[in-house]
Amino acid sequence: AVLDARAKYANNSLADLYDKNAMPPELRQAHTKLDAVVLPFFGLKADSSEERVVATLIAQYDELTRGLLDATPTKKTRTKKAE
């Protein structure tokens, strides 16, 4: 629904579409419906503040990615072919 709503305004930039004062009503409604489905998976209510949603998503991202860049790549050693 969100992509369908955005497609109706293909000539508008994302900045224009997501301007709080100028967002098309059907796009806002599509996001409201999407939030009601997705946010509970993160332990949030559909009417959670944007700040709360962003903080929760960043915390979840940090938890899921913690340590991924800490691992030192192992150096592969070449084996010589038998002659």
Side-chain angles (χ1 to χ4, degrees):
V2 171
L3 295 179
D4 292 336
R6 285 184 5 193
K8 293 178 183 179
Y9 301 91
N11 293 329
N12 293 66
S13 70
L14 290 177
D16 291 338
L17 288 176
Y18 287 92
D19 181 299
K20 289 183 180 188
N21 299 318
M23 182 184 262
E26 59 266 37
L27 181 58
R28 186 176 307 279
Q29 183 179 23
H31 272 287
T32 299
K33 288 180 180 179
L34 181 62
D35 289 349
V37 173
V38 173
L39 293 180
F41 287 102
F42 294 95
L44 296 165
K45 294 180 180 179
D47 62 350
S48 295
S49 70
E50 183 177 350
E51 291 81 13
R52 170 100 171 139
V53 171
V54 170
T56 300
L57 294 177
I58 288 174
Q60 182 73 23
Y61 176 82
D62 285 344
E63 183 179 325
L64 291 171
T65 58
R66 186 173 299 123
L68 289 179
L69 298 177
D70 295 342
T72 304
T74 57
K75 186 174 180 179
K76 293 184 178 182
T77 55
R78 295 175 129 192
T79 55
K80 291 186 177 183
K81 291 183 181 180
E83 294 184 26

